[in-house]
C-alpha cells in the first residue's frame, strides 16, 4: 500500500514537472482588446502579428516583428521563453527561431520595419524571386538594424506608381494598417 | 491658358437615361476647363477625369462601381462636385482615387465598402464638405506620399481610420467630424501637419500621431473615445516638436498618452472627465503649461520622464494655497509614477486603482523628485477655453436632468401620500 502511495506521489511530481517544462504556446489575437506592447497600435489578426512569451508566463503581443525586436532590445534583462511569428502566406504561428525572414524596403508592414516571416525557406525564396528582397535567418535577424527609412519607402512607392493601378491596389493589400 | 479655357465654356446636361459610356465620351470631348453637368440618376460607370474640367451633379447623381474605382482623378485642376458614389460589397479598390495636383473635391458623398478617398501622390488638393460612410474595413480618406492638401468640413463614420496620413507632409486637416471608427486621425511618418478644430468621438482613439515632426494640433475635440480598454483621446508616439494647444480632451479612457515624445508643447488644453488625464512614458524636454484638469479620475501619470517643464496647470483635486494672491498655489502637484510603473508590467493591478492600500504604498514608496513630473506653481482656477464643439454633457444638461429628477421625486412623494 505504501509503495503505491510513493509511486503515485512520484507520478504526480513527474507530471507536474513535465507540465512546467512544456513549451509555450501562442495565444489567439483578439483585435478588440490587444494592443502592441511597443507602439500601442491595435494588433491586427494578420500575418504581421507576433508574440513573445516570457519565462514568467506573460505573453506580449506586437503588430510588427520590428516592434517585438524593439521591445527585446529595450528589455535586455527580461527572460524570454519563446518568440512567435506568423507565416506570411498562411498566418500560421511558428517559433521565431524556426522561421525564415525576408527584408525589403518594398514590403509594407504596420510599423514600416519591412520584415516578413515564412515557415518554409522555399516559399521565402519564391517571394524574393517575385518581389525582391534579402533572405535572413533567425540568427541574422538578431543583428538586423531595424531602421525605418521613410525616404527609401518614398522611392519604392515612386517605383510602384510606375507599375500602375494594379500595384496601387497591391500596396493597399500589403498594408497592415 | 486657364482663362482661355473658361471662355471655351461648355455645359452638357445629360439626360437621365443616358448610356453610361456616353458620360466618359462627353468628358473626353469636353475642352480643358469645361464643365460637365450630370442630371439626376444612377450611373453604373467608372469614370476617369484626366484633364482639367469640372464634373458636377445637378440634383441627386449617383455613380456606382464595383470592381474599379468609381472615379479616378489624375492630372491637374479637376473639380468634382455634388456627386454620390456607391460601392458594392465586393469592391476591391478605393471609391475615389486621386493623383496629380490642384484638384477640388466637394459635396461628394461616398458609401464605401473599401477605402473612401485615396490620395496617392496628390498635392494642393482640397477635399471639403464630403460625407464618407464605410464598413470599418478600410480608411475614410487615405493619403500616401501626398503633400500640401487641405481636408476640411468632412464627416466620416464607420471606417477603419477616419483620415490616415502616411509619408505625406504639410497637409491641413480642419474642422472634420469623425466618429465610430478605429482611429479618428492617424498620422504616420509625416511632418509639418496642421490638425485644427476637428471633432473626433466614439472612436478607439481620437488621434494617433506617430513618427512625426512639428505637428500642430489645436482647438480639436477628442472626446468619448473609450470603447477600448486602451482607448485614448490623443496618442503621441515618437512625436517631436508637436504643438498641442487649446484642445478639449473629454471623457476618454486616457486623455493624452505620450511615449518617446520630445519637445512637445502641451499648452492650454482642457482635460475633462477622463479616466486618466494624461500619461507620459520615456519622454523629455516637453513643456506642459496652463492646462486644466477637471473631473478626471486620475489627473496625470508619468514614468521614465526627465527634463520636462510642467507649470501653471489647474488640478481640481490638488491641495491649493495661494500665498501671494497672484492666482498660483504654493503647494506643488506631483504626477507620481508609482501606479503607472506598477500597471505597465502587470496590467491586472489596474483593479487596485485608487484602492486605499495602493495609496498608502504610493506614499511609502515615494519616487525621487527627478523622476516625477512636478508642477511647482499650479493654478488656483481653471482657464476658460474657447469651445469649438459643444460638450455632450454641459452644465445646462445636468441642470435640466436635476430639475426633471426633482419634479419626478416630488410628484411620486405627493402621489404616495395621497394613496396613504
Amino acid at each position: 500500500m505504501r509503495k503505491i502511495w510513493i509511486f503515485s506521489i512520484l507520478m504526480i511530481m513527474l507530471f507536474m514537472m513535465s507540465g512546467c517544462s512544456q513549451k509555450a504556446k501562442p495565444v489567439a489575437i483578439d483585435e478588440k482588446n490587444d494592443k502592441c506592447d511597443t507602439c500601442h497600435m491595435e494588433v491586427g489578426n494578420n500575418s504581421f502579428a507576433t508574440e513573445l512569451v516570457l519565462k514568467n508566463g506573460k505573453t506580449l503581443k506586437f503588430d510588427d516583428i520590428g516592434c517585438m525586436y524593439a521591445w527585446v532590445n529595450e528589455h535586455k534583462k527580461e527572460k524570454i521563453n519563446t518568440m512567435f511569428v506568423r507565416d506570411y502566406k498562411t498566418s500560421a504561428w511558428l517559433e521565431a527561431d524556426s522561421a525564415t525572414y525576408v527584408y525589403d524596403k518594398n514590403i509594407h508592414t504596420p510599423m514600416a520595419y519591412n520584415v516578413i516571416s515564412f515557415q518554409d525557406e522555399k516559399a521565402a525564396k519564391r517571394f524574393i524571386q517575385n518581389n525582391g528582397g534579402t533572405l535572413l535567418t533567425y540568427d541574422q535577424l538578431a543583428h538586423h538594424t531595424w531602421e525605418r527609412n521613410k525616404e527609401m519607402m518614398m522611392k519604392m512607392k515612386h517605383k510602384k506608381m510606375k507599375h500602375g493601378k494594379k500595384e496601387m491596389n497591391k500596396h493597399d493589400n500589403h498594408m497592415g494598417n | 491658358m486657364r482663362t482661355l479655357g473658361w471662355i471655351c465654356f461648355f455645359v452638357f446636361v445629360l439626360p437621365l437615361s443616358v448610356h453610361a459610356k456616353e458620360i466618359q465620351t462627353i468628358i473626353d470631348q469636353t475642352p480643358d476647363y469645361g464643365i460637365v453637368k450630370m442630371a439626376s440618376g444612377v450611373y453604373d460607370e467608372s469614370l476617369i477625369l484626366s484633364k482639367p474640367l469640372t464634373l458636377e451633379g445637378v440634383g441627386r447623381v449617383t455613380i456606382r462601381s464595383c470592381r474599379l474605382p468609381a472615379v479616378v482623378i489624375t492630372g491637374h485642376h479637376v473639380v468634382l462636385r455634388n456627386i454620390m458614389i456607391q460601392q458594392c460589397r465586393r469592391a476591391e479598390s478605393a471609391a475615389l482615387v486621386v493623383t496629380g495636383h490642384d484638384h477640388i473635391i466637394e459635396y461628394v458623398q461616398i458609401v464605401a465598402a473599401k477605402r473612401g478617398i485615396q490620395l496617392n501622390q496628390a498635392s494642393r488638393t482640397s477635399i471639403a464638405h464630403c460625407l464618407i460612410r464605410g464598413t470599418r474595413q478600410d480608411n475614410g480618406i487615405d493619403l500616401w506620399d501626398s503633400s500640401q492638401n487641405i481636408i476640411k468640413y468632412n464627416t466620416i463614420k464607420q471606417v477603419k481610420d477616419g483620415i490616415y496620413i502616411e509619408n505625406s507632409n504639410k497637409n491641413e486637416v480642419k474642422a472634420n467630424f469623425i466618429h465610430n471608427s478605429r482611429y479618428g486621425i492617424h498620422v504616420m511618418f509625416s511632418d509639418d501637419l496642421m490638425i485644427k478644430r476637428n471633432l473626433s468621438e466614439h472612436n478607439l482613439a481620437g488621434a494617433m500621431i506617430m513618427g512625426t515632426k512639428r505637428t500642430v494640433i489645436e482647438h480639436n475635440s477628442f472626446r468619448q473615445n473609450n470603447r477600448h480598454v486602451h482607448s485614448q483621446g490623443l496618442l503621441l508616439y515618437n512625436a517631436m516638436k508637436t504643438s498641442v494647444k487649446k484642445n478639449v480632451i473629454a471623457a476618454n479612457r486616457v486623455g493624452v498618452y505620450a511615449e518617446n515624445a520630445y519637445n512637445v508643447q502641451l499648452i492650454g488644453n482642457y482635460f475633462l472627465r477622463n479616466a486618466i488625464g494624461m500619461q507620459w512614458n520615456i519622454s523629455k524636454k516637453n513643456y506642459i503649461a496652463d492646462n486644466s484638469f477637471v473631473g478626471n479620475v486620475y489627473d496625470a501619470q508619468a514614468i521614465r520622464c526627465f527634463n520636462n517643464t510642467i507649470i501653471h496647470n489647474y488640478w481640481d483635486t490638488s491641495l491649493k494655497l495661494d500665498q501671494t494672491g497672484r492666482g498660483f498655489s504654493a503647494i506643488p502637484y506631483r504626477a507620481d509614477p508609482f501606479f503607472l510603473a506598477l500597471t505597465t508590467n502587470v496590467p491586472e493591478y489596474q483593479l487596485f486603482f485608487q484602492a486605499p492600500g495602493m495609496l498608502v504604498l504610493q506614499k511609502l514608496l515615494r519616487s525621487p523628485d527627478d523622476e516625477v513630473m512636478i508642477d511647482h506653481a499650479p493654478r488656483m482656477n481653471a482657464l476658460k477655453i474657447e469651445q469649438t464643439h459643444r460638450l455632450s454633457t454641459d452644465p445646462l444638461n445636468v441642470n435640466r436632468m436635476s430639475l426633471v429628477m426633482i419634479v419626478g421625486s416630488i410628484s411620486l412623494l405627493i402621489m404616495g401620500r395621497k394613496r396613504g
Side-chain angles (χ1 to χ4, degrees):
Chain A
M1 188 65 188
R2 202 180 162 193
K3 278 182 183 175
I4 293 170
W5 270 108
I6 291 168
F7 180 74
S8 306
I9 290 165
L10 280 171
M11 283 304 288
I12 289 166
M13 282 173 68
L14 195 71
F15 178 75
M16 285 176 74
M17 281 170 73
S18 68
C20 290
S21 64
Q22 257 183 0
K23 275 197 169 181
K25 285 181 180 172
V27 182
I29 298 290
D30 177 4
E31 286 188 346
K32 284 186 179 171
N33 292 307
D34 292 336
K35 69 157 188 167
C36 175
D37 276 279
T38 296
C39 74
H40 306 280
M41 269 173 60
E42 178 196 72
V43 181
N45 189 15
N46 52 38
S47 59
F48 303 112
T50 67
E51 287 183 2
L52 187 154
V53 183
L54 296 174
K55 290 267 188 206
N56 62 14
K58 190 181 172 188
T59 302
L60 307 175
K61 297 175 183 177
F62 305 91
D63 63 346
D64 193 305
I65 297 174
C67 281
M68 181 163 73
Y69 273 85
W71 191 94
V72 171
N73 289 332
E74 270 183 35
H75 300 82
K76 285 180 178 158
K77 286 180 185 172
E78 293 284 352
K79 289 175 182 170
I80 296 162
N81 186 342
T82 317
M83 288 157 78
F84 292 102
V85 295
R86 293 178 101 167
D87 181 67
Y88 184 65
K89 292 287 171 198
T90 63
S91 291
W93 288 105
L94 47 142
E95 288 186 19
D97 54 4
S98 69
T100 307
Y101 301 87
V102 175
Y103 163 74
D104 193 86
K105 285 289 177 192
N106 204 14
I107 300 167
H108 288 256
T109 63
M111 284 301 283
Y113 285 105
N114 320 99
V115 175
I116 51 174
S117 44
F118 290 86
Q119 187 165 20
D120 183 17
E121 194 182 324
K122 280 180 188 168
K125 283 180 176 168
R126 214 176 302 129
F127 180 91
I128 292 169
Q129 265 182 355
N130 296 332
N131 304 283
T134 312
L135 196 82
L136 293 169
T137 62
Y138 173 71
D139 293 332
Q140 285 170 327
L141 206 64
H143 305 293
H144 184 64
T145 54
W146 298 107
E147 275 177 4
R148 287 176 297 183
N149 189 335
K150 74 176 178 185
E151 282 74 31
M152 280 296 284
M153 282 171 69
M154 300 280 269
K155 279 181 195 169
M156 287 300 171
K157 185 63 198 171
H158 284 290
K159 263 188 192 176
K160 269 189 152 189
M161 285 294 291
K162 284 177 189 169
H163 290 128
K165 251 190 271 177
K166 264 192 178 179
E167 285 297 298
M168 271 165 56
N169 291 335
K170 208 173 185 181
H171 151 67
D172 299 345
N173 297 336
H174 279 204
M175 281 304 301
N177 295 321
Chain B
M1 185 64 198
R2 190 175 173 177
T3 325
L4 198 73
W6 280 108
I7 295 165
C8 306
F9 188 75
F10 270 63
V11 176
F12 293 89
V13 178
L14 304 174
L16 203 144
S17 59
V18 72
H19 192 272
K21 266 192 174 175
E22 288 178 38
I23 308 164
Q24 188 62 55
T25 312
I26 289 166
I27 287 167
D28 294 342
Q29 286 168 354
T30 304
D32 285 2
Y33 300 102
I35 296 179
V36 176
K37 290 197 176 186
M38 293 172 74
S40 287
V42 178
Y43 301 84
D44 289 307
E45 172 71 348
S46 181
L47 303 175
I48 297 170
L49 312 176
S50 56
K51 59 182 173 183
L53 56 76
T54 298
L55 181 66
E56 190 175 331
V58 179
R60 195 177 168 82
V61 174
T62 305
I63 300 174
R64 290 192 307 203
S65 181
C66 271
R67 210 169 56 82
L68 295 166
V71 180
V72 175
I73 296 174
T74 61
H76 61 95
H77 293 99
V78 173
V79 179
L80 183 69
R81 187 181 291 133
N82 197 31
I83 301 277
M84 185 172 182
I85 296 173
Q86 267 185 351
Q87 277 192 313
C88 65
R89 285 192 176 184
R90 61 179 193 278
E92 291 168 5
S93 56
L96 171 57
V97 175
V98 184
T99 60
H101 59 90
D102 295 289
H103 305 303
I104 295 172
I105 297 150
E106 56 187 16
Y107 299 102
V108 173
Q109 281 187 47
I110 298 174
V111 182
K114 285 279 181 182
R115 196 162 293 178
I117 302 174
Q118 170 75 58
L119 265 69
N120 209 323
Q121 290 196 312
S123 61
R124 297 191 299 277
T125 291
S126 164
I127 301 172
H129 303 284
C130 295
L131 171 67
I132 300 170
R133 181 160 57 87
T135 53
R136 291 201 171 90
Q137 283 184 42
D138 215 320
N139 303 327
I141 299 174
D142 187 297
L143 276 72
W144 173 268
D145 192 10
S146 297
S147 296
Q148 294 176 298
N149 302 288
I150 299 175
I151 300 164
K152 59 185 180 182
Y153 303 113
N154 301 292
T155 299
I156 304 166
K157 59 184 176 181
Q158 292 162 6
V159 294
K160 195 173 184 184
D161 297 345
I163 298 168
Y164 180 79
I165 301 172
E166 185 172 348
N167 281 333
S168 301
N169 305 324
K170 295 180 183 173
N171 293 290
E172 291 183 26
V173 180
K174 287 181 181 174
N176 299 287
F177 175 35
I178 306 148
H179 62 103
N180 291 299
S181 300
R182 186 180 74 158
Y183 308 142
I185 299 163
H186 188 183
V187 181
M188 287 184 80
F189 316 121
S190 302
D191 301 335
D192 301 296
L193 298 191
M194 188 90 80
I195 298 168
K196 282 187 172 180
R197 290 185 288 117
N198 299 285
L199 168 58
S200 180
E201 66 177 14
H202 297 292
N203 302 304
L204 221 65
M208 277 208 154
I209 313 296
M210 311 174 88
T212 61
K213 284 178 191 158
R214 297 176 298 278
T215 310
V216 174
I217 304 165
E218 290 179 2
H219 295 284
N220 300 283
S221 266
F222 302 118
R223 64 191 195 194
Q224 290 173 314
N225 298 295
N226 51 15
R227 280 176 26 212
H228 192 286
V229 67
H230 303 295
S231 283
Q232 307 97 5
L234 171 66
L235 182 136
L236 303 174
Y237 181 79
N238 269 342
M240 318 288 170
K241 297 181 180 175
T242 311
S243 167
V244 184
K245 291 179 182 172
K246 296 185 177 178
N247 300 285
V248 175
I249 298 157
N252 304 290
R253 168 77 179 74
V254 178
V256 170
Y257 181 88
E259 186 169 320
N260 292 321
Y262 305 106
N263 291 308
V264 172
Q265 303 262 316
L266 189 78
I267 299 171
N269 300 287
Y270 205 77
F271 292 83
L272 183 68
R273 300 193 314 275
N274 301 287
I276 298 167
M278 61 176 187
Q279 272 184 330
W280 291 81
N281 194 5
I282 324 172
S283 298
K284 59 186 178 186
K285 293 182 180 173
N286 301 296
Y287 184 77
I288 302 157
D290 299 322
N291 300 289
S292 300
F293 293 82
V294 179
N296 302 295
V297 180
Y298 209 99
D299 285 332
Q301 297 174 334
I303 50 170
R304 293 183 282 175
C305 293
F306 303 95
N307 298 328
N308 296 292
T309 306
I310 176 164
I311 196 157
H312 295 171
N313 299 284
Y314 173 74
W315 314 89
D316 68 337
T317 52
S318 70
L319 289 172
K320 299 176 194 71
L321 176 66
D322 190 357
Q323 284 179 323
T324 57
R326 291 164 69 182
F328 300 111
S329 173
I331 304 170
Y333 175 86
R334 287 168 56 92
D336 204 294
F338 177 75
F339 193 72
L340 184 58
L342 205 67
T343 53
T344 301
N345 286 331
V346 188
E348 288 80 3
Y349 285 158
Q350 289 181 43
L351 287 169
F352 301 114
F353 190 69
Q354 294 290 51
M358 198 58 84
L359 295 174
V360 171
L361 276 176
Q362 188 170 311
K363 292 227 158 83
L364 282 173
L365 306 168
R366 190 182 158 92
S367 311
D369 280 359
D370 60 334
E371 288 180 20
V372 180
M373 272 191 175
I374 302 174
D375 189 340
H376 289 285
R379 274 183 188 280
M380 295 300 292
N381 297 300
L383 284 171
K384 279 187 181 171
I385 191 156
E386 174 199 332
Q387 275 201 19
T388 321
H389 309 285
R390 197 173 66 86
L391 291 172
S392 56
T393 52
D394 55 43
L396 252 178
N397 264 353
V398 175
N399 292 342
R400 215 174 291 145
M401 282 296 289
S402 311
L403 194 72
V404 169
M405 289 182 82
I406 289 166
V407 170
S409 311
I410 292 169
S411 311
L412 285 171
L413 201 71
I414 293 167
M415 281 165 68
R417 281 187 69 182
K418 275 182 183 171
R419 278 188 190 173

